[in-house]
Every structure is written in structure tokens, then in C-alpha cells.
Amino acid sequence: MANKGNKKHQQFSLEEKMKVVEAVDSGKRKGDVAKEFGITPSTLSTFLKDRTKFEKKVREASVGPQRKRMRSALYDDIDKAVFAWFQEIHAKNILVTGSVIRKKALNLANMLGYDNFQASVGWLNRFRDRHGIALKAVCREDTDRLMNGLGIDKVNEWHAGEIIKLIADYSPDDIFNADETGVFFQLLPQHTLAAKGDHCRGGKKAKQRLTALFCCNASGTEKMRPLIVGRSASPRCLKNIHSLPCDYQANQWAWMTRDLFNEWLMQVDARMKRAECRILLLIDNCSAHNMLPRLERIQVGYLPSNCTAVLQPLNLGIIHTMKVLYRSHLLKQILLKLSSREDQEEVDIKQAIDMIAAAWWSVKPSTVVICWQKAGIIPMEFAECDIESAASEPDTAIEKLWHTVAIATCVPNEVNFQDFVTADDDLIISQDTNIIQGMVAGENTSEAGSEDEEEVSLPEQPKVTITEAISSIQKLRQFLSTCVDVPDAIFGQLNGIDEYLMKRVTQTLVDSKITDFLQTK
């Protein structure tokens, strides 16, 4: 009896249990099957009783066939989401390492509303065991080999083959690239460290972010109207606003979604149809881009997966330059508030939209062309431009501005202007629709709020009349006349605004009834 107590408990894998069940199904006597596999009759009965569970696990592939225990994951919905993503990636023959799975697990956990989930090494090992996944360790040398070997091979193959076929029938004026980026539009310099590396997948910070879509052609001659995605469908700051320098959409996460991207794509297609143009549009294969509508005037070309960092022109400096200009505008506003001793107010969505659009339109054509050349899509001799001057757009004046504001706002010494510019580079910009759909109970990622809670307490901006606007133009003229060396272009822009406003007001007066002028005082 003592020896029996020391007997080691035997465990069987799912595969072994199924073999036992199949042996009984083949017609063998249960007693013979028990002896063949070295199990007791009671254990055999348990296997037969649980056969439905075993078959379901095998059919759903939710447990690896070598798995000996069927204990569910603590975060079962995270586990299912990660495994669905893994199957999708594995089917595309994309290399997946343990660190990549852990990062994706954190990503999906936050999307599902789990703030305390930790994708530890222990979790990864248990996840692998549950699903029978064998991951090969990839050391630094292997990573470098993959990036410098397989990655470069893929890029070279694309340059030598597919891209040549794609651009053969298009001029640089008709070759476009579209891409999204996230923006912490209220970020202040002193909060840079807290925001750096934050993916902002939900929670309070989701109200402080926007997603912006940009699109430009290879010749630098056309930058399309930006699309901004916010969280609130009707923020207070946009009340009575009928014209914006961009298109604005909203959803609960301030992400780009498949529906929003397809709607934008259809609008571009309609515009190209009216202009009787055909264009080539190069995009990455993120989740928002993978089910496109039928297009008449746009040919879509996908950039190779995992190569957008070196093949996507917008990622090679165009979006970065836009962020440099946006952040520098923020710094100027902060400096003005500091000099006038006014309290620093948070940037609202309307102000952010205006500044993002202004920064986008201010990106030089030479910068755009250089980034397309870096991607290897157009030849270096395509445009004669001053590469040095284009590359130095974040100039010394901006650095001086940063230094002044950093001192005044007590920014840590280890934070520099580039940290401030790139603080939101890691923001999630699109949702994993196929994976998350149906898993977020009670939440709809396509719905947007009517107002952000923080905006309710903000004063509503008074409506400006056309008479007040014309008066402001006159004040601007008076101010500029007291300045020295004002460029002629500034006066020209002011004249254009003045002409537009006067045309609006005179048209209104002409359309008015004569009785409106004869009313008694």
C-alpha cells in the first residue's frame, strides 16, 4: 500500500486520449484497450465521457494536440484573440517571435478593456502550451540577418519587379501614397516622457488623440485634403462650423476603420472620375485597408508587409515633417501665453484640426519628392531640388524656440525637441476588425460620442459675424503697416481673404429684398 501511494500520477496528452477513444470506436473490447494503453477501466470511462470535449478542442484548434491538461486561460477572450491573430499571421508565412506575440497580446488586451493584463514570459509559455505552438528563439544576430537578408531581398525584389509593372503606365503626378498617423493633439512639452511609447488603445487618453490620414503624389505637386478622425462626432468647438480645412469623422476610439477608409477612397475615386484621371494609390495592408470597394479610377497597389518603414514615402519623412511643423506651432502658442502671463488653455479639436491642416499644406514639395526618392519609387534625377535645404526643415529657429519653452515649463533635460515630435509615433491607428469584432461586450467601435466630457465645461466660442471678420482684416492691415520688411506675399494673402469676405457680404446684400433697406428705425 505504501508503494501504491508513491506511484506517479500518469498524464495523457489530448492526442493520446483521442487514440484511446478511437481504439474503442474500432470495435475493441474496453478491457483490452485499457490494458493496451496501461490505464484503469475508470480512466477509460472518463476518456469516453469527455470525448465530446476532446473532439471540440481538436476541431477548434484551441488546444495543441500534445497538451495534457485542458485548463482554460485566465483571460480567455485575450487568448482567443491572440490565437486568431496568430493563425492569420502564420497563414501568411510571416515570422513571429515570442516578443512579437507578447506585444500583440498587450495590444489586444487593451482593446478588450483589460488594463491590468501583463503579457509575461510565463503567460507566453502557457499560451504556447495551450495551442501547441513551437517558437524558435531568435537572437539579435538572427534578427539582423532577417532584416538585412530576407527584408532587403523582399525590398529588392519589389523594386525590381512589381513596382516597375505598377508605375509603368503612370506619371509621377498620378502616383499617390496614403497613410495614417496618430496625434496627441493636446500634448505639452513637459508631458513628453509620459506619452512616449504610449499606444493609447483606450481610456482617458483616447480623448486626447486624433488619427490623421494624408495622401500625396510622387511629384510633390498635389497633397490631398487630410482626413481627421476624432472621438466625438459633434464636439462643442465645432458647433456652427460648416467649413474646415480637412474632412472630419469620428468613432469611439478615434481610429481609422475599414468603413471610414473605404468612404474616403470612394470620394477620391469620384473626384478622379470627374477630372477624368486615373491614379495609382500605394498603401500598406493594415486591417483598415484589406477589404476595398470597387473602384473605377484608382488602381491600388499594396506595399510588401513588414517593409513599409523603408518603402512607404509618407513614413520616410513627410509625416514627420508635418509633426515638426505642428509641434512648432504649439510651442509658439505656449510662448505667447507665457509672455502675456495668461493661463495655458488646452488645445481643442477645432484648433488642432486647423494646425494639422496648416502643417500639412506647409510641407515643401521638395521634401515630398525626396521621400519618394528614398523609397526608390521614383528615380533620384526626377526633380532638381536642394536636398540639403529640404532635409533641414526642422531648423535652428525651432530648436531655439524649443529651448526657451523647455526652460520655462521645466521640461526634463533628457527630453529634446525630437522626443516631443515623435511622442505619438507608436499610437494605434486602426482596429483589428476581424479579431476584436464581437469580443467587446456592449461596445461598438464604429459609434462616436456626441460630446467629450471635458468639453462640456469649456465655454462655447461666440459666433463671428461677417462684419466683425472684415473689421479684423482692416486691423491686420493697420498692424502690418507698422511692421518692417513685410513680404509682399503676406499682403497678397490678406487681399485674397478681404476679397472673399467682401464678395460674400455684397452677394448677401444684393440678394436681400428691397424692403430690408426701407425698414423704419
Side-chain angles (χ1 to χ4, degrees):
M1 293 296 291
N3 290 336
K4 186 176 180 181
N6 294 330
K7 185 177 180 180
K8 185 177 179 180
H9 181 69
Q10 187 177 3
Q11 288 187 327
F12 296 88
S13 69
L14 182 60
E15 185 179 27
E16 291 168 336
K17 292 174 182 178
M18 287 304 299
K19 285 182 179 180
V20 172
V21 173
E22 289 170 359
V24 174
D25 290 343
S26 68
K28 293 182 180 181
R29 294 176 56 192
K30 294 181 181 179
D32 294 338
V33 171
K35 289 180 181 180
E36 179 182 348
F37 289 92
I39 58 176
T40 63
S42 61
T43 300
L44 175 60
S45 298
T46 301
F47 286 179
L48 293 174
K49 185 178 67 175
D50 293 340
R51 66 179 298 164
T52 304
K53 295 180 183 178
F54 301 156
E55 291 170 350
K56 183 179 178 182
K57 292 294 182 181
V58 171
R59 185 169 57 251
E60 294 179 352
S62 61
V63 173
Q66 303 302 322
R67 181 79 171 160
K68 296 187 176 182
R69 303 181 70 183
M70 289 196 302
R71 181 182 297 167
S72 299
L74 180 61
Y75 298 95
D76 190 50
D77 45 356
I78 297 176
D79 189 272
K80 290 178 180 177
V82 176
F83 188 60
W85 165 82
F86 177 83
Q87 288 179 309
E88 180 181 325
I89 293 298
H90 186 66
K92 296 178 181 178
N93 293 319
I94 297 175
L95 176 71
V96 180
T97 64
S99 61
V100 170
I101 292 178
R102 291 171 63 193
K103 288 179 181 178
K104 191 64 180 181
L106 284 173
N107 180 328
L108 295 172
N110 278 274
M111 289 181 184
L112 292 166
Y114 293 102
D115 295 330
N116 298 323
F117 173 76
Q118 294 182 348
S120 63
V121 174
W123 173 87
L124 175 64
N125 291 335
R126 291 189 294 273
F127 173 80
R128 290 169 53 188
D129 290 343
R130 275 192 295 274
H131 300 289
I133 297 172
L135 297 174
K136 294 181 180 179
V138 179
C139 65
R140 183 176 298 275
E141 292 178 0
D142 291 334
T143 303
D144 292 341
R145 177 183 57 79
L146 286 166
M147 290 303 296
N148 297 327
L150 297 178
I152 288 181
D153 288 345
K154 186 187 291 187
V155 170
N156 291 338
E157 181 181 344
W158 191 74
H159 279 151
E162 187 172 352
I163 188 58
I164 293 177
K165 296 177 183 177
L166 284 173
I167 68 175
D169 298 327
Y170 298 93
S171 72
D173 289 343
D174 298 325
I175 303 173
F176 287 78
N177 175 220
D179 191 31
E180 299 91 352
T181 187
V183 180
F184 276 137
F185 68 94
Q186 294 180 335
L187 180 64
L188 296 176
Q190 59 268 34
H191 300 152
T192 299
L193 281 180
K196 190 74 173 174
D198 192 329
H199 298 285
C200 187
R201 305 173 180 96
K204 185 177 180 180
K205 281 191 177 179
K207 301 171 186 177
Q208 304 168 6
R209 63 153 296 165
L210 299 169
T211 294
L213 179 145
F214 299 107
C215 184
C216 62
N217 66 358
S219 64
T221 57
E222 184 175 354
K223 296 198 293 285
M224 290 190 186
R225 183 181 176 91
L227 169 62
I228 308 294
V229 183
R231 185 177 179 273
S232 176
S234 54
R236 290 175 66 89
C237 60
L238 294 185
K239 187 175 181 180
N240 298 321
I241 300 297
H242 305 292
S243 296
L244 290 170
C246 67
D247 296 322
Y248 179 76
Q249 298 280 6
N251 60 53
Q252 164 178 5
W253 300 90
W255 285 344
M256 178 59 67
T257 64
R258 187 179 297 162
D259 290 341
L260 290 182
F261 183 75
N262 287 349
E263 182 181 341
W264 173 83
L265 207 54
M266 292 294 289
Q267 290 173 356
V268 175
D269 191 60
R271 184 160 63 86
M272 294 302 157
K273 187 175 181 179
R274 289 193 299 269
E276 297 184 350
C277 294
R278 291 187 180 277
I279 66 169
L280 170 66
L281 179 65
L282 301 176
I283 56 175
D284 59 35
N285 58 357
C286 78
S287 58
H289 300 170
N290 58 15
M291 286 188 65
L292 305 182
R294 182 177 177 274
L295 303 169
E296 295 183 34
R297 298 285 177 160
I298 301 175
Q299 179 184 356
V300 174
Y302 282 104
L303 298 165
S305 58
N306 300 328
C307 295
T308 55
V310 294
L311 289 179
Q312 181 140 254
L314 281 161
N315 279 352
L316 292 173
I318 299 173
I319 287 178
H320 178 78
T321 301
M322 183 283 303
K323 287 191 175 184
V324 166
L325 296 170
Y326 176 77
R327 301 286 187 217
S328 63
H329 198 104
L330 280 177
L331 292 178
K332 292 170 186 174
Q333 285 195 339
I334 293 170
L335 190 59
L336 285 175
K337 293 288 185 181
L338 291 172
S339 64
S340 60
R341 300 185 183 279
E342 295 181 31
D343 293 335
Q344 185 65 46
E345 297 178 353
E346 288 186 342
V347 175
D348 62 32
I349 292 176
K350 171 65 168 60
Q351 293 169 326
I353 285 173
D354 289 339
M355 288 190 289
I356 290 172
W360 172 241
W361 300 125
S362 298
V363 176
K364 297 176 183 177
S366 56
T367 301
V368 173
V369 171
I370 288 169
C371 293
W372 278 86
Q373 291 171 339
K374 285 181 182 178
I377 298 174
I378 61 173
M380 293 299 292
E381 65 273 11
F382 166 71
E384 295 180 3
C385 57
D386 186 349
I387 293 179
E388 293 299 325
S389 62
S392 61
E393 244 174 304
D395 55 17
T396 54
I398 295 179
E399 291 294 344
K400 289 180 180 178
L401 176 64
W402 164 260
H403 184 67
T404 303
V405 173
I407 293 175
T409 56
C410 302
V411 176
N413 293 331
E414 63 268 26
V415 178
N416 57 38
F417 180 62
Q418 285 304 314
D419 292 328
F420 185 45
V421 171
T422 61
D424 43 23
D425 282 359
D426 291 329
L427 288 183
I428 291 175
I429 56 174
S430 64
Q431 63 178 357
D432 288 288
T433 310
N434 296 330
I435 297 172
I436 294 300
Q437 189 174 12
M439 288 190 175
V440 184
E443 295 184 2
N444 187 342
T445 57
S446 64
E447 293 181 354
S450 58
E451 286 185 348
D452 287 340
E453 290 86 343
E454 285 84 349
E455 288 199 315
V456 175
S457 61
L458 296 177
E460 184 178 325
Q461 295 297 320
K463 186 175 181 179
V464 179
T465 66
I466 195 164
T467 303
E468 291 171 333
I470 292 172
S471 176
S472 298
I473 293 294
Q474 294 171 348
K475 289 180 180 179
L476 276 174
R477 288 187 192 280
Q478 184 178 354
F479 170 75
L480 291 174
S481 66
T482 65
C483 299
V484 179
D485 297 330
V486 178
D488 292 340
I490 298 297
F491 287 109
Q493 292 166 358
L494 203 58
N495 289 337
I497 298 173
D498 190 21
E499 184 179 343
Y500 170 78
L501 293 175
M502 292 302 294
K503 183 178 179 180
R504 284 285 303 270
V505 71
T506 52
Q507 187 64 47
T508 302
L509 293 174
V510 168
D511 292 341
S512 300
K513 296 179 181 179
I514 190 66
T515 53
D516 293 341
F517 296 98
L518 300 177
Q519 291 178 352
T520 57
K521 293 183 179 179

